[in-house]
Amino acid sequence: MQNRFMKWIVAALVTIVALPAPSWAAGYTQTKYPIVLVHGLFGFDRIGLVEYWYGIPAALRSDGARVYVAQVSATNSTEVRGEQLLSQVKQIIAATGAGKVNLIGHSHGGPTARYVASVRPDLVASVTSVGGVNKGSKVADILIGVAPDGSLSNAVLASITNGLSQFISFLSGGSGLPQNANAANVSLSTAGSLRFNQKHPYGVPTTSCGEGAYQARGVHYFSWSGAKPYTNALDIVDPALALTGLAFGFAKNDGLVSSCSSRLGRVIRDDYSMNHLDEVNQTIGLTNIFETNPVTLYRQQANRLRNLGL
């Protein structure tokens, strides 16, 4: 009996080994236009061996995508960051001759990408918002309430966060970019986001938790986000996101942004079992092992854009 069981196990293992490894079709991520990744608050391109978009650029390039990682101010207003991104988009288009780009923005990178699409829709094929702060964040609202502009607490907080932003920028090779933590916080607040959306409404849902226009002025809009602040016991950042997630009460959120606020254009999903950092495969790939790998979501989005001729 035991020998038959062992033979069955060996046969099963041989069958598994003999099966072809899962693979993606050649050109799966090969979009017509280059993909530009836009980081969020306190974001960067690369610091040493650590990428903000951990493992994502290489995964997209592996099957044909041309991928560029933008570097904008770690902290500043959406408009300032947007102008920085616009300058880089122009450079990428000039270098590639592509005519347009596909923008994928995480967190504050969502509104930053939307700004470029709003002021120069002719240069943008699509905007994909990942955990984007499209209708503000209650965490930013709380920070403004605790440390209002002009207060001593605000001055201390701004000094610390601006210093951290400069340090991040220096380490990632982006020294010289202006940092303004107060301006970033205002942009990410509910009131600041409302003012921004009045000027740049494209793709933003007109209802509290609906979908926005899938396409406006030739630009396609997409979004997805997580809804689980704590996902991996080994990730040292997860407890902090679980704490900030309390700001949203019973509303679905990823620890920093509510699911409803993240919605833009065609909503792929707003309830992945991911937190705000999982959405960019951080911290260094320590994400929810029971959820789709975040890298796969970016590959699927590239394929979605490819199939639309973008």
Side-chain angles (χ1 to χ4, degrees):
M1 181 69 175
Q2 188 176 25
N3 287 339
R4 286 201 302 271
F5 180 72
M6 290 303 297
K7 288 179 180 179
W8 182 87
I9 291 293
V10 171
L13 290 174
V14 169
T15 301
I16 291 171
V17 171
L19 288 173
S23 61
W24 304 89
Y28 184 81
T29 62
Q30 191 171 353
T31 55
K32 177 179 180 180
Y33 302 110
I35 293 172
V36 181
L37 302 174
V38 189
H39 66 72
L41 188 71
F42 294 117
F44 51 89
D45 175 355
R46 175 191 293 269
I47 296 178
L49 298 177
V50 179
E51 301 173 293
Y52 179 92
W53 306 87
Y54 194 71
I56 294 167
L60 291 172
R61 292 176 182 129
S62 66
D63 282 318
R66 290 173 291 174
V67 183
Y68 296 83
V69 181
Q71 185 149 11
V72 298
S73 293
T75 56
N76 217 312
S77 71
T78 302
E79 291 81 2
V80 168
R81 286 165 48 96
E83 284 296 323
Q84 294 168 355
L85 176 59
L86 176 58
S87 177
Q88 291 171 58
V89 165
K90 290 177 179 177
Q91 292 171 12
I92 291 167
I93 288 175
T96 62
K100 294 183 178 184
V101 296
N102 291 300
L103 297 174
I104 301 180
H106 173 245
S107 190
H108 198 180
T112 304
R114 287 173 46 212
Y115 174 87
V116 176
S118 178
V119 300
R120 287 299 305 270
D122 57 309
L123 302 182
V124 180
S126 71
V127 170
T128 302
S129 174
V130 181
V133 194
N134 294 309
K135 289 191 176 182
S137 169
K138 287 188 177 180
V139 176
D141 295 343
I142 289 172
L143 286 175
I144 289 176
V146 172
D149 193 25
S151 67
L152 177 61
S153 56
N154 177 272
V156 172
L157 182 62
S159 178
I160 293 172
T161 51
N162 284 335
L164 176 61
S165 302
Q166 292 285 4
F167 186 58
I168 291 172
S169 183
F170 171 76
L171 290 178
S172 60
S175 55
L177 291 173
Q179 309 296 335
N180 189 329
N182 281 339
N185 206 28
V186 170
S187 285
L188 296 172
S189 69
T190 301
S193 295
L194 175 61
R195 289 192 294 271
F196 178 79
N197 291 345
Q198 289 173 341
K199 295 180 180 178
H200 310 285
Y202 309 105
V204 178
T206 56
T207 57
S208 61
C209 201
E211 286 189 303
Y214 286 16
Q215 188 175 358
R217 301 190 302 165
V219 180
H220 295 254
Y221 290 90
F222 305 87
S223 63
W224 79 75
S225 65
K228 190 172 183 179
Y230 195 100
T231 61
N232 192 313
L234 298 178
D235 192 338
I236 60 173
V237 181
D238 279 27
L241 290 174
L243 181 62
T244 54
L246 296 176
F248 300 92
F250 295 105
K252 292 189 302 182
N253 70 91
D254 64 6
L256 287 176
V257 182
S258 73
S259 294
C260 287
S261 178
S262 73
R263 285 171 158 252
L264 182 78
R266 176 184 171 186
V267 179
I268 296 165
R269 268 186 66 181
D270 70 353
D271 61 352
Y272 285 106
S273 292
M274 299 178 183
N275 63 34
H276 201 65
L277 289 188
D278 291 344
E279 293 160 356
V280 288
N281 201 33
Q282 291 287 0
T283 306
I284 57 171
L286 293 174
T287 60
N288 190 344
I289 62 173
F290 301 107
E291 180 56 275
T292 305
N293 189 302
V295 176
T296 298
L297 298 184
Y298 288 88
R299 289 174 58 81
Q300 289 174 341
Q301 179 62 2
N303 182 255
R304 190 175 286 113
L305 297 174
R306 175 183 181 274
N307 291 339
L308 287 171
L310 304 176

